Amino acid sequence: MARPNPDLINALRRTAKKLKEGAPYQWGHMGGCNCGNLAQELTKLSKDQIHTYAMQRYGDWNEQVDDYCQTSSLPIDIIINEMLNAGLMLEDLKHLEKLSDKQVLARFPVEKRLALKHNVRDDVVAYMYEWANLLEERLLEKIQLPVLEELSFA
């Protein structure tokens, strides 16, 4: 699971909001799919740039992740590297593309969980918001506030 951090949480929420408000979405397009839309937010590249870079190697996001090389100079590997630097793990990208992370899915009511479709905009939006909420909760669990000693008013 991704490393919870404010920038990643906000990127997920911004991506979900943009999709909800009508940003281009096309599941079969490497720059306009689930991962592609998040990649746009994290890298500031356009959907067409991401798609063009991804097409320099074969496959969908799952295959691109399987073939990812940290030291490669292929643009898609540079994009994936930026996403990893934002706190994501390789498995997160696979799960996002298929809306399949069990920890995120467990937060939905069973009937919604079973009905989620990986290539339906509204389902992607719901998944991203719920994932952001999960990461935020995990981040807040790590925050320790100092205990203040009881003040005396003598």
Side-chain angles (χ1 to χ4, degrees):
M1 174 66 67
R3 287 185 328 272
N5 67 76
D7 291 336
L8 178 58
I9 294 164
N10 288 330
L12 284 164
R13 289 185 175 140
R14 283 191 307 271
T15 303
K17 183 177 189 278
K18 287 177 180 177
L19 286 169
K20 185 176 184 177
E21 293 173 350
Y25 178 76
Q26 184 181 354
W27 191 78
H29 187 283
M30 290 292 292
C33 59
N34 306 354
C35 286
N37 272 281
L38 183 57
Q40 288 178 53
E41 190 63 36
L42 292 172
T43 66
K44 305 305 180 206
L45 295 171
S46 73
K47 75 180 187 76
D48 291 332
Q49 288 172 306
I50 294 166
H51 185 78
T52 298
Y53 295 154
M55 292 297 99
Q56 292 178 12
R57 187 166 60 204
Y58 66 91
D60 62 12
W61 274 94
N62 281 313
E63 293 166 315
Q64 298 284 0
V65 166
D66 284 341
D67 293 339
Y68 166 72
C69 176
Q70 179 178 333
T71 58
S72 160
S73 61
L74 281 174
I76 190 64
D77 286 337
I78 294 169
I79 291 169
I80 292 171
N81 196 50
E82 282 188 53
M83 296 176 82
L84 298 179
N85 288 338
L88 295 167
M89 304 296 185
L90 289 173
E91 287 302 310
D92 293 323
L93 299 176
K94 290 182 170 194
H95 287 307
L96 175 57
E97 201 56 21
K98 297 290 187 176
L99 305 185
S100 62
D101 187 286
K102 290 179 182 178
Q103 295 173 68
V104 176
L105 292 173
R107 299 170 64 86
F108 288 96
V110 173
E111 61 278 0
K112 176 68 174 171
R113 183 181 327 151
L114 297 174
L116 279 178
K117 297 201 181 323
H118 66 277
N119 58 353
V120 173
R121 175 192 300 265
D122 290 342
D123 291 346
V124 175
V125 168
Y127 184 94
M128 283 189 181
Y129 275 132
E130 202 55 55
W131 188 15
N133 292 340
L134 172 62
L135 291 175
E136 181 178 55
E137 289 169 13
R138 289 188 175 173
L139 180 63
L140 291 173
E141 286 172 1
K142 293 180 179 183
I143 295 174
Q144 296 287 327
L145 296 176
V147 176
L148 297 176
E149 294 184 271
E150 198 170 318
L151 297 174
S152 65
F153 295 98

